[in-house]
């Protein structure tokens, strides 16, 4: 391999000039001649029977081209929306889902009819003229009540409301008895709206003569959409093109296919016109899959000397009304319940519960923030019982030898947990902070210091592990490297960049592997008509560790062929030809050399080695041998105003280790954004439904609080580098790390600040009213650390 | 009923017949054809649609096109001059002030007005001044840095840092 020069360099992003100039192209920026606009008529109820739909007035409204309901779509769409079996083997029930309701609506916002009109204003006007007669049914909203035998059912024809129930590892009562201190906690992971700033959107154009469909869509995984949509519409892949152009953020909510992803192309086929639909923010909060939505019962025990003994977690996951395509993935929280520590026993069980709400699905971190939260809270609670400093309890129990196989058979590839923690404590000035805290308390100033030593499984993933979990498609990744005759290079990848900077980082890898100038390399992604036959998309912090490795592998294949050609030109044996800094030469005579570009030109000409075909391009699929395992320690410093309940985040320190780094600027940016999202969960965001009516109460940004610049401090970052032994680049992943670590760093800090009041538990978001009530109750002596609201 | 509306957009006179209820942001995107101004919400809270109206930052989803009659409008497409990026555009690029880029035009327009009003803002003033804009990708760290850097190139002294500086220790 060429000497590394680009890998690790802080290169400014080449996607930025167009994005800062207003020349980014997102779905809503595309249009086709004759485009009509689609507006969706949605159920206002969480649960109801659809008795009748009267479209007469709407069809007569100005500009209306067509109105379609279930019976129209049933002519062009077949089957049900896809659900991957994912990590949960024993599935009890997967309610079948068609993209539009027929007789029963099961969550607020479920599509009932669509209107097509010449302008978006006309489409929206006419959708108000559709008269749907509903008969309301009781809505199932609460997880506990949903599991009771007498509960109403989410689907009136369903057997009950249990989605799944799986015990990964049962209790070990003998081990539990060894514990000398035991803690218990009930941890609520509120529902969150992923909230990319660009909502979802679809534009579809069907050519009847050719039988071809082109779909522009805001998606993290256009190839998956093509696969599933092609199946539903009976269009083979070679006639269905899905283009995911610039995408304004995904955060996991643009992986799974949605109703509209089916309805818009189907409407294009039915109407013979290009059709566009752009989600409104309210539609987004109502109908784009939510994240989290889980309750954990946690129990953990330790010896008096601080040796950890057992941790036991039961996850109750609010599935919503249908199973999200990758919903069961979130059960991976169970597999990481033990976190970064040695435990004698780890027990875990997951229970999926159906409710009359929009489905949950992966949201940045998906299962791993939840795991980190429960484990790191348990550690702090145990430290409290043991009267040990939480950092010392962590230090005493960290896993220190790698590879490490955890209780669930997962193999942690590399780590240096103590080193990252020490660095974080150093940046924070931990000892000094503890003194400040002590001093402050005497004066009624409540400082809290919260720590989170996180680990992560990412880089999804090895085919042997992922294919059974996805229904046969392994989550490997593809890349194609094409070298043109004059030496410029185009790279096509199956991943999708929507803020991660792949246009910059992947060419950095190629530049080093091929030894050609960075500027001569172009990256292309997001169009299923280009590049390898299949791509697997961007999610689960996989793009670099899997996609980047596919790029590296395809580049090496190109170098291998080029070396053969060079040897032929030198009339030397292949083994005697060296490749360095983009030049080939015969070992021992580096002065007589041939540039990569010269060899590229020769590859398209005559006189190649016997039997060799012309051309210099290669496709590679990379199947990793293991997942990759980033880690780190974050420290939050908060001050709680006991008069108002306000939590002031004073400092945030993040030390993360994601193995080798391609571009440090981009890594830091990913951490910033991830940390902000976890802080937002801890302090601000929450999707709230009315428990009785099933109506969402947080349907706009007025009620769903996405924080602005004014709510955050500057984040103080540190970094250790422990290369991954799993892949040749030594890389891991960083897209989700910040979110995985940060919610519990904040909550541990808030609990630490409130410990003088005997408060041991704070639900998220730790809003002023909630904190004020906790303090108030504690002072009134009516509460000893248990929060009234569950 | 349609109304005639004439505006100047990025220095060019525009005349159109529009519906009275057409929002200014839809006018810019769908009628004038400038799609750099984005839409991120229904309730005028995200700031993705921010433009300058007679030099003042305005969320273009809060105005009707007809209200822009006779006004001078500047959108993100009008920021670069003679093929050179505006110092704010350059600073967002240099400081990695964007990831997906969806919020970016709105931030740049809001920041342009902020710096016009206060050429030498403190970190705090920048954070408060950009409160009307939401970004979901960056955690705002580098957006603040971008505005500080632009303030410097545009003539204001470097914004005074408050609180802790972004640092990356070790590893590199
Ligand atoms: S679109 Fe959100 S403020 Fe205008
Ligand atoms: S860069 Fe994506 S929303 Fe700001």
């Amino acid at each position: 391999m060429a000497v590394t020069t680009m890998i690790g360099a802080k290169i400014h992003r080449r996607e930025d000039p167009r994005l800062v100039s207003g020349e980014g192209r997102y779905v809503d920026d595309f249009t086709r001649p004759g485009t009509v606009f689609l507006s969706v008529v949605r159920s206002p109820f969480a649960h109801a029977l659809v008795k009748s739909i009267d479209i007469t007035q709407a069809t007569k409204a100005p500009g209306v081209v067509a109105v379609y309901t279930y019976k129209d779509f049933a002519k062009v769409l077949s089957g049900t929306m896809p659900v991957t079996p994912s990590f949960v083997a024993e599935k009890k029930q997967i309610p079948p889902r068609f993209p539009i309701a027929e007789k029963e609506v099961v969550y607020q916002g479920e599509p009932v009819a669509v209107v097509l009109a010449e302008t978006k204003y006309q489409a929206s006007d006419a959708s108000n003229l559709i008269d749907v007669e509903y008969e309301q049914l009781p809505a199932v909203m609460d997880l506990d009540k949903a599991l009771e035998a007498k509960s109403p059912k989410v689907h009136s024809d369903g057997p009950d409301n249990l989605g799944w129930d799986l015990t990964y590892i049962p209790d070990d009562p003998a081990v539990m008895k060894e514990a000398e201190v035991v803690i218990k906690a009930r941890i609520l992971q509120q529902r969150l709206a992923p909230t990319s700033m660009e909502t979802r959107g679809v534009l579809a154009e069907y050519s009847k003569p050719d039988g071809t469909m082109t779909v522009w869509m805001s998606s993290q995984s256009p190839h998956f959409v093509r696969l599933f949509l092609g199946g539903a519409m009976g269009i083979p892949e070679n006639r269905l093109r899905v283009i995911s152009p610039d995408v304004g953020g995904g955060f996991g909510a643009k992986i799974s296919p949605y109703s509209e992803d089916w309805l818009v192309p189907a409407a294009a086929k039915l109407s013979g016109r290009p059709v566009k639909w752009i989600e409104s923010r309210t539609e987004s909060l109502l109908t784009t899959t939510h994240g989290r939505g889980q309750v954990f019962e946690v129990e953990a025990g330790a010896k008096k000397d601080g040796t950890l003994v057992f941790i036991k977690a039961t996850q109750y996951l609010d599935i919503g009304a249908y199973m999200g395509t990758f919903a069961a993935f979130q059960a991976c929280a169970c597999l990481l319940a033990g976190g970064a520590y040695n435990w004698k026993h780890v027990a875990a069980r997951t229970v999926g519960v159906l409710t009359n709400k929009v489905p949950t699905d992966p949201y940045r971190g998906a299962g791993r923030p939840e795991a980190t939260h429960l484990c790191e809270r348990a550690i702090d609670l145990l430290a409290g019982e043991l009267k040990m400093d939480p950092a010392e309890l962590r230090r005493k129990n960290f896993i220190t030898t790698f590879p490490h196989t955890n209780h669930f058979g997962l193999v942690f590839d590399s780590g240096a947990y103590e080193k990252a923690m020490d660095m974080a404590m150093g940046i924070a000035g931990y000892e000094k902070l503890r003194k400040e805290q002590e001093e402050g308390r005497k004066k009624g100033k409540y400082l809290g210091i919260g720590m989170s030593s996180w680990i992560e499984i990412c880089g999804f993933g090895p085919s042997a592990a992922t294919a059974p979990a996805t229904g046969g498609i392994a989550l490997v990744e593809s890349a194609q490297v094409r070298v043109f005759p004059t030496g410029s290079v185009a790279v096509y990848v199956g991943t999708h960049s929507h803020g991660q900077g792949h246009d910059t980082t992947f060419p950095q890898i190629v530049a080093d592997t091929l030894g050609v100038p960075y500027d001569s390399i172009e990256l292309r992604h997001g169009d299923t008509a280009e590049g390898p036959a299949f791509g697997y998309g961007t999610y689960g912090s996989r793009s670099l560790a899997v996609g980047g490795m596919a790029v590296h592998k395809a580049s090496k294949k190109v170098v291998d062929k080029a070396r053969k050609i060079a040897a032929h030109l030198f009339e030397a044996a292949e083994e005697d030809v060296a490749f360095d800094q983009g030049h080939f030469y015969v070992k021992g005579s580096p002065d007589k050399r041939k540039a990569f570009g010269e060899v590229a030109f020769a590859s398209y000409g005559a006189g190649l080695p016997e039997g060799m075909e012309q051309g210099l391009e290669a496709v590679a699929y990379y199947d990793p041998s293991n997942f990759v395992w980033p880690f780190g320690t974050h420290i939050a410093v908060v001050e709680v105003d006991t008069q108002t309940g306000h939590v002031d985040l004073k400092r945030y320190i993040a030390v993360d280790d994601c193995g080798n780094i391609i571009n440090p600027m981009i890594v830091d940016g990913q951490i910033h954004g991830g940390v902000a999202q976890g802080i937002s969960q801890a302090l601000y965001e929450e999707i709230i439904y009315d428990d009785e009516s099933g109506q969402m109460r947080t349907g706009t940004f007025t009620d769903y609080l996405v924080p602005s610049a004014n709510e955050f401090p500057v984040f103080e970052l540190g970094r250790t580098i422990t290369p991954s032994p799993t892949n040749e680049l030594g890389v891991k992943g960083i897209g989700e790390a910040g979110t995985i670590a940060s919610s519990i760093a904040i909550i541990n800090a808030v609990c630490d600040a409130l410990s003088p009041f005997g408060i041991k538990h704070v639900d998220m978001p730790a809003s002023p009213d909630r904190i004020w009530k906790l303090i108030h109750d504690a002072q009134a002596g009516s509460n000893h650390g248990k929060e009234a609201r569950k | 009923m349609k109304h005639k509306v004439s505006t100047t957009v990025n220095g060019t006179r525009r005349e159109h017949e529009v519906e009275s209820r057409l929002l200014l942001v839809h006018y810019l995107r769908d009628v004038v054809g400038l799609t750099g101004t984005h839409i991120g919400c229904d309730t005028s809270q995200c700031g993705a649609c921010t433009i300058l109206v007679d030099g003042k930052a305005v969320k273009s989803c809060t105005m009707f096109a007809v209200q822009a009659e006779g006004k001078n409008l500047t959108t993100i497409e009008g920021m670069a001059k003679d093929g050179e990026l505006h110092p704010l555009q350059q600073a967002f690029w240099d400081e990695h002030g964007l990831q997906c880029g969806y919020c970016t035009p709105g931030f740049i327009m809001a920041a342009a007005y902020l710096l016009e009003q206060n050429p030498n803002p403190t970190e705090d003033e920048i954070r408060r001044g950009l409160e009307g804009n939401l970004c979901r990708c960056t955690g705002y760290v580098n957006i603040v840095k971008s505005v500080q850097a632009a303030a410097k190139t545009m003539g204001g002294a470097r914004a005074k840092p408050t609180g802790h500086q972004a640092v990356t220790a070790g590893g590199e």
Side-chain angles (χ1 to χ4, degrees):
Chain A
M1 187 174 153
V3 171
T4 292
T5 52
M6 294 305 284
I7 290 180
K10 177 185 169 183
I11 308 279
H12 288 100
R13 300 200 321 169
R14 52 163 60 152
E15 39 276 84
D16 289 356
R18 87 167 178 275
L19 297 176
V20 299
S21 303
E23 288 181 38
R25 292 290 174 257
Y26 304 87
V27 172
D28 197 18
D29 304 337
F30 289 83
T31 190
R32 303 293 297 161
T35 298
V36 292
F37 297 85
L38 182 146
S39 173
V40 185
V41 178
R42 302 179 182 279
S43 167
F45 301 115
H47 196 189
L49 295 176
V50 179
K51 305 301 279 186
S52 65
I53 305 175
D54 183 355
I55 63 168
T56 348
Q57 291 305 314
T59 45
K60 284 190 239 152
V64 169
V65 172
V67 177
Y68 300 130
T69 61
Y70 171 86
K71 61 180 192 325
D72 303 296
F73 287 110
K75 288 179 212 150
V76 286
L77 292 170
S78 63
T80 51
M81 308 277 300
V83 175
T84 63
S86 207
F87 291 96
V88 178
E90 302 157 28
K91 194 73 62 184
K92 186 161 185 278
Q93 77 171 291
I94 300 176
R97 179 183 195 180
F98 194 75
I100 190 162
E102 184 187 9
K103 297 193 187 98
E104 186 175 355
V105 284
V106 287
Y107 68 93
Q108 189 190 12
E110 186 167 10
V112 177
V114 305
V115 179
L116 268 52
E118 299 292 345
T119 73
K120 57 184 140 207
Y121 285 56
Q122 288 170 334
S124 155
D125 287 348
S127 66
N128 291 321
L129 298 174
I130 291 181
D131 193 8
V132 186
E133 191 193 334
Y134 294 98
E135 179 186 322
Q136 255 188 279
L137 296 172
V140 179
M141 304 305 287
D142 180 89
L143 294 189
D144 290 335
K145 286 190 201 146
L147 290 176
E148 288 169 7
K150 61 176 193 320
S151 169
K153 283 178 286 183
V154 169
H155 294 261
S156 50
D157 58 353
D160 54 29
N161 300 320
L162 183 65
W164 67 69
D165 186 347
L166 173 70
T167 299
Y168 286 104
I169 299 179
D171 291 353
D172 186 335
V175 175
M176 286 168 85
K177 270 194 218 116
E178 290 175 28
E180 291 162 339
V181 287
V182 172
I183 59 93
K184 283 189 184 176
R186 182 178 162 92
I187 294 169
L188 183 71
Q189 290 278 345
Q190 76 270 37
R191 272 185 175 241
L192 299 175
T195 317
S196 52
M197 290 317 297
E198 182 209 23
T199 56
R200 294 185 292 122
V202 189
L203 166 66
E205 184 175 39
Y206 184 67
S207 162
K208 202 169 171 204
D210 297 341
T212 55
M213 175 81 76
T214 308
V215 182
W216 292 260
M217 182 185 295
S218 185
S219 172
Q220 297 175 231
S221 49
H223 284 89
F224 273 109
V225 174
R226 182 180 62 174
L227 177 72
F228 293 139
L229 178 62
M233 294 197 70
I235 305 175
E237 282 107 320
N238 55 8
R239 295 209 174 142
L240 175 56
R241 178 177 179 193
V242 179
I243 301 168
S244 182
D246 283 327
V247 167
F251 311 117
K254 291 177 181 171
I255 311 169
S256 298
Y258 285 85
S259 290
E260 297 82 1
D261 303 352
W262 271 219
L263 299 178
V264 175
K269 188 170 180 187
L270 285 167
S271 68
R273 301 272 298 268
V275 178
K276 188 196 262 193
W277 165 78
I278 301 294
E279 187 185 51
S280 72
R281 180 55 64 189
T282 292
E283 282 180 300
S284 177
L285 290 163
L286 266 179
T287 69
T288 288
T289 53
H290 293 160
R292 317 291 186 257
Q294 297 159 44
V295 180
F296 289 87
E297 308 271 9
V298 184
E299 198 177 334
K303 298 264 198 204
K304 282 207 178 99
D305 69 354
T307 307
L308 298 178
V309 178
F310 79 92
I311 186 162
K312 172 187 168 186
T314 306
Q315 174 189 47
Y316 294 91
L317 192 146
D318 180 352
I319 295 170
Y322 297 105
M323 196 88 76
T325 308
F326 296 100
F329 177 83
Q330 301 169 98
C332 78
C334 293
L335 308 181
L336 297 185
Y341 311 100
N342 286 305
W343 303 85
K344 195 159 177 193
H345 189 70
V346 180
R349 172 182 168 214
T350 175
V351 181
V353 186
L354 294 166
T355 59
N356 288 114
K357 302 178 207 165
V358 75
T360 51
D361 219 32
Y363 164 53
R364 202 171 194 171
R368 292 151 290 162
E370 296 93 317
T372 307
H373 199 110
L374 75 89
C375 180
E376 291 298 285
R377 188 67 207 128
I379 294 288
D380 268 29
L381 284 170
L382 284 171
E385 293 300 315
L386 293 163
K387 311 248 175 306
M388 261 177 101
D389 186 287
E392 287 324 298
L393 184 59
R394 284 176 171 80
R395 190 184 303 283
K396 187 175 167 72
N397 292 283
F398 272 144
I399 293 161
T400 50
T401 48
F402 296 89
H404 166 86
T405 304
N406 85 351
H407 291 264
F408 301 87
L410 295 168
V411 182
F412 300 12
D413 61 352
S414 65
Y417 303 157
E418 200 175 349
K419 191 170 153 197
M421 185 176 79
D422 282 338
M423 182 183 275
M425 290 170 76
I427 297 173
Y430 188 77
E431 298 304 327
K432 212 172 130 223
L433 278 173
R434 284 284 175 214
K435 283 207 189 80
E436 238 178 84
Q437 177 181 45
E438 217 183 294
E439 291 302 307
R441 279 179 184 168
K442 290 179 202 153
K443 296 179 224 143
K445 186 174 152 176
Y446 293 93
L447 215 59
I449 304 152
M451 191 175 270
S452 163
S453 291
W454 64 278
I455 59 155
E456 175 187 0
I457 179 174
C458 69
F460 297 91
S463 62
T466 55
T470 57
I473 296 238
L475 300 182
V476 302
E477 197 48 86
S478 63
Q480 179 176 25
V481 173
R482 289 186 189 166
V483 184
F484 300 104
T486 63
S488 68
V489 180
V491 182
Y492 301 79
V493 290
T495 50
H496 187 279
S497 184
H498 32 278
Q500 296 88 341
H502 300 168
D503 294 25
T504 305
T505 49
F506 285 180
Q508 286 183 259
I509 297 173
V510 178
D512 276 2
T513 317
L514 297 185
V516 301
Y518 167 77
D519 286 332
S520 69
I521 305 158
E522 276 298 310
L523 186 84
R524 298 192 57 90
H525 61 77
D527 183 345
T528 60
E530 296 183 337
F534 199 79
Y536 300 77
T538 286
Y539 42 82
S541 305
R542 68 188 302 275
S543 293
L544 177 57
V546 190
M549 276 302 297
V551 166
H552 181 59
K553 193 174 167 190
S555 304
K556 285 208 311 187
K557 282 189 182 179
V558 163
V559 172
D560 285 348
K561 181 168 181 185
R563 188 195 307 274
K564 286 196 175 71
I565 298 169
H568 185 69
L569 296 175
F570 286 130
E571 296 179 0
E574 201 189 321
E575 313 79 73
D576 294 336
V577 173
F579 179 59
D580 187 23
Q581 307 268 31
H583 287 87
F584 293 96
Y585 56 87
V586 182
K587 286 174 193 160
S589 44
D591 300 341
K592 250 184 73 191
R593 52 192 206 157
K594 285 203 181 294
F596 185 80
E598 290 176 68
V599 178
F601 193 79
S603 78
Y604 289 92
L608 293 176
E610 182 74 30
M612 181 184 276
E613 293 171 14
Q614 270 75 9
L616 194 54
E617 54 188 328
V619 172
Y621 283 74
Y622 175 73
D623 185 358
S625 60
N626 186 6
F627 302 98
V628 288
W629 297 82
F631 61 90
T633 289
H634 290 202
I635 297 176
V637 183
V638 304
E639 187 181 332
V640 179
D641 181 333
T642 53
Q643 298 300 308
T644 63
H646 175 75
V647 175
D648 181 17
L649 176 56
K650 301 194 86 67
R651 290 178 66 194
Y652 196 94
I653 295 103
V655 174
D656 298 290
D657 189 322
C658 59
N660 288 339
I661 282 173
I662 307 297
N663 186 326
M665 177 190 81
I666 287 178
V667 168
D668 287 354
Q670 289 293 310
I671 295 167
H672 293 155
V675 164
Q677 279 180 8
I679 294 172
S680 304
Q681 174 176 19
L683 296 177
Y684 302 106
E685 294 178 30
E686 181 176 28
I687 285 283
I688 304 171
Y689 284 95
D690 184 275
D691 267 351
E692 285 304 310
S693 67
Q695 295 286 309
M696 188 188 285
R697 290 207 239 130
T698 48
T700 70
F701 280 162
T702 318
D703 303 301
Y704 190 81
L705 302 182
V706 176
S708 75
N710 209 21
E711 276 79 46
F712 296 109
V714 165
F715 309 136
E716 301 164 61
L717 309 188
R719 179 177 296 141
T720 63
I721 291 179
T722 310
S724 168
T726 308
N727 57 64
E728 207 181 316
L729 293 170
V731 296
K732 296 187 175 179
I734 198 65
E736 298 164 289
T739 312
I740 289 169
S742 52
S743 70
I744 186 56
I746 302 287
I747 292 301
N748 275 344
V750 174
C751 290
D752 184 48
L754 298 180
S755 60
F757 298 92
I759 294 167
K760 291 181 185 169
H761 180 78
V762 174
D763 275 337
M764 297 186 288
S767 53
D769 56 326
R770 196 166 273 170
I771 300 290
W772 183 87
K773 191 169 185 311
L774 281 172
I775 297 171
H776 185 82
D777 289 353
Q779 282 171 332
S782 65
N783 185 309
H784 298 281
K786 282 182 240 83
E787 198 173 348
R789 189 187 176 284
K790 53 164 206 302
Chain B
M1 191 179 123
K2 296 240 174 181
H3 301 265
K4 221 169 110 180
V5 55
S6 28
T7 59
T8 304
V9 185
N10 301 330
T12 307
R13 288 271 307 164
R14 300 280 188 169
E15 281 196 22
H16 296 279
E17 296 258 307
V18 301
E19 259 189 280
S20 47
R21 63 173 172 171
L22 183 72
L23 294 178
L24 182 56
V25 65
H26 288 141
Y27 167 77
L28 289 169
R29 292 180 52 83
D30 303 337
V31 181
V32 180
L34 293 173
T35 56
T37 303
H38 297 151
I39 301 171
C41 72
D42 326 324
T43 47
S44 299
Q45 271 150 329
C46 74
C49 62
T50 308
I51 61 163
L52 300 181
V53 178
D54 287 341
K56 262 191 163 167
V58 169
K59 292 177 177 176
S60 61
C61 71
T62 60
M63 266 176 81
F64 294 114
V66 291
Q67 292 176 295
E69 172 62 33
K71 307 244 186 250
N72 226 316
L73 310 178
T74 310
T75 70
I76 188 71
E77 289 92 343
M79 291 300 272
K81 290 277 168 318
D82 306 323
E84 258 194 54
L85 293 178
H86 183 278
L88 269 163
Q89 293 174 310
Q90 185 67 43
F92 270 72
W93 184 14
D94 291 345
E95 301 296 333
H96 190 28
L98 62 149
Q99 290 180 26
C100 78
Y102 197 77
C103 69
T104 314
F107 267 98
I108 289 177
M109 302 316 286
Y113 183 59
L114 173 74
L115 293 183
E116 154 89 32
Q117 295 293 299
N118 178 0
N120 188 17
T122 62
E123 183 197 325
D124 230 45
E125 285 166 344
I126 294 171
R127 286 183 184 272
R128 271 187 284 121
L130 297 178
E131 216 174 16
N133 292 65
L134 298 178
C135 172
R136 192 59 160 171
C137 297
T138 62
Y140 304 103
V141 177
N142 291 345
I143 290 181
V144 173
K145 277 211 249 170
S146 303
V147 178
Q148 287 173 327
K152 199 178 167 203
T153 36
M154 286 166 74
R158 182 188 272 290
K160 292 177 224 77
T162 55
H164 295 268
Q165 286 297 287
V167 288
T168 296
E172 282 167 59

